[in-house]
């Protein structure tokens, strides 16, 4: 797969998603009902973060039992994490940042991948490795839409998925930005709702978000 094909695959996934929940799964048994709840609310593209010991098993279970879900791996911090995501059969990978080692491994592989950037220099490193579609993280603390507008001056063609501080109140403003292809965040899957198994609540929240954010 060429770098361009890999990038366009990721762009298509992100564009079809519009909103991507950033999932932190503490208990393996929550994985499948959570994925079902998200999909039932119209949210199919899921980022399972490598922030808990069960993350890989959770992603595996979602992929096996919820085929409508498009499961990717987030919080990829190094080449080993990237290899684990690939071995699992994840559809894409996302990182909160980027090291030279990670950028090199991702550029040499075929997993659709978005490195994280928050500054012009980080963006330049990502672009130098062929990644023009990036995660802008942490989006709000790094200056929000104003900061992204400023970055788009020297880099007008970047495609961005912002995460960090995005929720119901500001998701639409981010999506209106011409460089934004999708927004991500944990607001669609609050830890308390997962802990209490409030799957209907998660479905309802997703349905509301999709209705207001996704063009019909
Ligand atoms: C991420 O990794 O994208 C963030 O943890 C999500 O940030 P949020 O919790 O502010 O949505």
């Amino acid at each position: 797969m060429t770098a361009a094909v890999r990038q366009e695959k990721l762009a298509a996934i992100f564009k079809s998603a519009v909103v991507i929940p950033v999932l932190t799964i503490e208990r393996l048994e929550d994985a499948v009902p959570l994925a079902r709840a998200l999909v039932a609310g119209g949210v199919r593209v899921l980022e399972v973060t490598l922030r808990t010991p069960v993350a890989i098993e959770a992603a595996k279970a979602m992929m096996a039992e919820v085929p409508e879900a498009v499961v990717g791996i987030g919080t990829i911090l190094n080449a080993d994490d990237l290899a684990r995501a690939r071995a699992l059969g994840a559809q894409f990978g996302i990182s909160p940042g980027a090291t030279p080692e990670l950028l090199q491994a991702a550029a040499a592989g075929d997993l659709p991948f978005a490195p994280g950037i928050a500054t012009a220099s980080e963006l330049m490193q990502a672009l130098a490795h062929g990644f023009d579609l990036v995660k802008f993280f942490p989006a709000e603390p790094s200056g929000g839409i104003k900061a992204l507008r400023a970055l788009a001056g020297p880099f007008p063609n970047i495609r961005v998925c912002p995460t960090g501080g995005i929720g119901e109140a500001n998701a639409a403003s981010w999506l209106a930005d011409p460089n934004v292809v999708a927004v991500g965040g944990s607001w669609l899957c609050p830890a308390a709702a997962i802990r209490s198994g409030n799957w209907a609540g998660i479905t309802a929240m997703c349905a509301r978000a999709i209705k207001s954010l996704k063009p019909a």
Side-chain angles (χ1 to χ4, degrees):
M1 192 186 299
T2 66
V5 169
R6 190 188 58 216
Q7 286 289 102
E8 291 320 307
K9 241 179 133 173
L10 186 62
I13 291 171
F14 279 15
K15 276 187 200 148
S16 77
V18 181
V19 282
I20 302 173
V22 176
L23 306 175
T24 301
I25 300 169
E26 308 277 354
R27 297 177 305 202
L28 184 54
E29 63 267 31
D30 292 335
V32 168
L34 173 60
R36 287 200 178 116
L38 292 160
V39 167
V43 171
R44 291 177 53 234
V45 177
L46 316 181
E47 176 188 342
V48 178
T49 62
L50 295 181
R51 295 180 197 178
T52 62
V54 302
I56 288 284
E57 286 305 313
K60 227 184 243 173
M62 287 173 163
M63 284 160 48
E65 299 196 36
V66 192
E68 311 92 308
V70 178
V71 179
I73 296 293
T75 317
I76 290 181
L77 302 183
N78 51 47
D80 281 352
D81 290 345
L82 192 71
R84 285 201 290 161
R86 208 189 158 288
L88 180 70
Q91 302 279 318
F92 61 92
I94 303 185
S95 176
T99 62
E101 178 221 20
L102 180 56
L103 286 169
Q104 273 158 28
D110 57 7
L111 184 71
F113 177 72
I117 66 100
T119 67
S121 296
E122 291 161 6
L123 180 55
M124 285 160 72
Q125 298 247 28
L127 290 170
H129 286 83
F131 298 99
D132 72 323
L133 173 43
V134 295
K135 164 166 163 147
F136 178 37
F137 177 79
E140 283 290 339
S142 301
I145 294 172
K146 255 176 138 173
L148 176 57
R149 284 289 83 231
L151 284 170
F155 308 104
N157 300 322
I158 51 164
R159 296 177 286 183
V160 173
C161 176
T163 80
I166 296 178
E168 211 165 333
N170 59 359
S173 314
W174 277 101
L175 284 166
D177 187 281
N179 292 85
V180 169
V181 289
V183 296
S186 60
W187 90 96
L188 292 170
C189 47
I194 300 178
R195 221 169 281 134
S196 63
N198 184 7
W199 311 127
I202 289 176
T203 297
M205 199 157 32
C206 289
R208 202 165 60 230
I210 291 293
K211 199 166 162 220
S212 72
L213 299 175
K214 199 165 174 172

